[in-house]
Amino acid sequence: MNLLLSAPKGHDFAEYLFALPFNLYGKAKKVDGNLCVTESEILVYIDGEIKDRYPLDAYEEYACEQLVGCSMMVGRNGDRDAKCICAFTNDSFVAFAEVCKIINHYLTAGILVHESDIDEPKCPKCGLPLDGYTECPYCASKIKTFSKLFGRLKPYAPQFAVAVGCTVLAEILNVVSPYINRILIDDYVRPQNTSHWLGFAALCGAMFVILIINTFLDWANMKASRYVSLNLGQDLRQDVFNKTLDLSMSSISKKTAGDLINRVSNDANKLQSFLTDYGKDAIVRVFSLLVVLVIMFSMNYKLALLAVVPIPFVLIIVKKVYNTIHMYYGRVWRFSNAHSKLLHDALNGIRVIKTCGTEEAEIEKYRVASEKWAKSATKAEIVWNLIWPVADFMLTIGNYLVLYFGSLMLLGRLGAFGTLTLGELTQFVSYVGMLYTPLRWLMQLPRQLADASVSASKVFEILEEHTDVRDDADCVDLDIKGDIEFNNVYFGYNIYNPVLKDVSCKIEKGKMYGIVGHSGAGKSTMINLILRLYDVTQGSVTIDGVDIRKISQKSLRSQVGVVLQETYLFEGTVLENITYAKPDATFEEVVEAAKIAHAHEFVTKLPDGYNTRVGNKGHTLSGGERQRIAIARAILHDPKIIILDEATASLDTETERQIQEGLNELCKGRTTIAIAHRLSTLSNADSLIVLDKGRLAETGTHDQLMRQKGVYYALVMAQRKTTKMKAVQPQQQSAASHPAPAPAN
Ligand code: ADP
């Protein structure tokens, strides 16, 4: 979001962090005002003159208040002391609210954010949205991108050299053929010289040998190229996949699954074929262009000049085509990306679509996206098909000029140009053909280059992305006992919008803790921090006294088990899903874990028992069954810390009761942290951590907190009220559906 919309008259943007115009002051008087924020104060300008100035810490909190028809920014100290800083029409509300958030974050966390990322960032060059990329793939430096791309050929340099060498040799032999042809025509065919049949046969034999060598070179080239291509593609895909799994949750969540799938498969494949086909060809084509030019000029520089007349024009066209085609293909890629995102979204949310009955709306959305993609592709093709014949025609003119003037020389009608034999003309015309082949290829290059450069930018963006949750060089593999501590933790998914504020609490090993609070209070966020899916903004989280940023992620996560509300089952058998975190577990261990999790009974009733395949997302199993598999998985994993994030929230009371037994077994002797919507399930926890709007409100046992009558008490009371209402409603409904029999007269 642009928070530097306008500086006051006579002043410069550079003086301020943020500068927003406002148009109301005092009693809704229209003014030409600017609110400017520096690192230390807020300045209120009216008509370019400073009207008020406030040190940033003059107020504890800044906020925007919406009134009737207008809004105002206020500074507050507690509930009573509030001051209007400036007022504006409602269209500026979001921008001012953003500035308030940033200043508030500065006041609480001491970090002054200089940029707002609420709006989707745009490319400064082309102005198009960055779509989660850090650099616009359409505007990234092509030279840098391609040099990185060719750098990936290094491990396959010998094979690549063989492929290039074979193609170069084949090109050289191709250059020799017209020369032999010329001797054949001039020395044997034209004079009808039959006396030296041995020489004739030798030349024909040489042509045949060249053909055989060429076939062999072609085979060797194909073999080496395929080797490079397949391995390079596999490396690229593997590297992109590895890096994707290595990225932090915050960067993953900015990208869609569809986009990541595209980068791992489509983009990597495109680069694979581009590098081996076009990369190798580029070297060979340029080489053959130079060789043929040298031969042509040494044969007859005047005719050679005629042949190269169209080249500068073709080069100009190539340059122009590149820019135009790049723009058109840029659009095609954008629409194809939008199309695949939509497709992915629809397929992922197919249950919601069906249950909401929005199939038609989705079909229409898909039709529009698909049509846009098709239309943009058609336009790009039309432009290409218009340009290509013109450029090709220009090349044909060169061919025509050589043939025309060459024939005149053959007939001796062009004294100044000299004469030519038929063999020489045939040889020259063959070389002209050889000169134009790389040029024609060069004209196709813009299309391929534009395509590959976008794919390369996308792939390298992932490969080079800075992973913000990383293992430090001095991190350790810790044998976790299970003491966890939050020390003055501040954390926000957006740095200026803290979700957890100054949270400090201790979780002792071997005990069970419940985290409770309203929805959005930051419960799952605390869990995310323990799992180090994100790093704290300020403060620290320690395990056994060691900052978790100093514990290797592998060692941390291998000792923390998680059962979530929705269990994801991988495509495979029940056995594979249970052993997911411990692939070397024996079958006996699996059965034992399944028995403890109360899963064994239903698994043995499945058609193939433990070998039953569970489909995508385990559609064939019920929610309760999936949860039991997740518990068995966690038991087998044998973690020191167990996290239950709404593990039984989506289950009915009976299933919950059954699963609870499994969970109790799982939690025995381990540090357990549970989040549960139904507070009754946490009443036997050793301690409860109560969050309120991101702050730690209270801690204690259920009984202590109930006596305290604070936030937890209010939550429990509210829930009891809802439960009672729910219990009464069905009774009323059943009374309504079964009316009392009419009294007999
Ligand atoms: P709870 O578990 O208490 O319901 P969460 O910890 O999930 O709450 O979320 C706390 C706040 O953080 C909510 O306002 C939520 O919208 C926000 N939030 C959660 N996850 C993300 C995310 N990945 N990106 C941005 N905001 C998030």
Side-chain angles (χ1 to χ4, degrees), residues 250-293:
S250 58
S251 34
I252 287 280
S253 58
K254 286 182 195 142
K255 300 172 177 76
T256 62
D259 179 38
L260 287 172
I261 292 171
N262 262 344
R263 294 196 209 194
V264 176
S265 48
N266 292 357
D267 290 320
N269 284 351
K270 256 188 212 166
L271 294 183
Q272 166 186 341
S273 46
F274 174 81
L275 266 182
T276 40
D277 296 345
Y278 279 84
K280 179 182 62 133
D281 278 10
I283 301 171
V284 179
R285 302 283 178 186
V286 172
F287 170 80
S288 77
L289 195 76
L290 292 176
V291 170
V292 170
L293 272 177

Side-chain angles (χ1 to χ4, degrees), residues 646-709:
E646 302 275 14
T648 56
S650 54
L651 308 176
D652 59 82
T653 331
E654 176 52 24
T655 320
E656 183 179 4
R657 194 189 53 74
Q658 290 171 4
I659 285 183
Q660 201 61 50
E661 290 170 22
L663 285 176
N664 291 344
E665 288 297 323
L666 170 64
C667 302
K668 250 184 217 164
R670 306 173 211 261
T671 310
T672 307
I673 304 157
I675 299 177
H677 179 65
R678 275 177 231 149
L679 297 173
S680 54
T681 52
L682 296 177
S683 56
N684 58 346
D686 294 305
S687 183
L688 295 168
I689 295 166
V690 186
L691 289 179
D692 187 26
K693 294 182 193 143
R695 289 192 185 274
L696 183 72
E698 49 202 29
T699 53
T701 61
H702 169 78
D703 294 339
Q704 285 168 345
L705 294 177
M706 287 305 280
R707 279 197 297 276
Q708 212 168 304
K709 299 210 166 167

Side-chain angles (χ1 to χ4, degrees), residues 249-250 253 492-494 499-500 517-526 528 534 645-646 675 691:
M249 284 306 290
S250 58
S253 58
Y493 296 96
N494 292 322
V499 171
L500 293 182
H518 288 106
S519 172
K523 304 181 292 289
S524 300
T525 305
M526 273 185 85
N528 288 344
Y534 299 86
D645 191 350
E646 302 275 14
I675 299 177
L691 289 179

Side-chain angles (χ1 to χ4, degrees), residues 5 53 64 91 188 205 251 296 319 444 478 503 517 625 689 701 708:
L5 290 173
R53 58 197 315 161
C64 276
D91 49 346
Y188 298 95
S251 34
M296 280 169 65
K319 171 94 183 63
Q444 298 274 1
L478 189 73
V503 173
E625 289 165 343
I689 295 166
T701 61
Q708 212 168 304

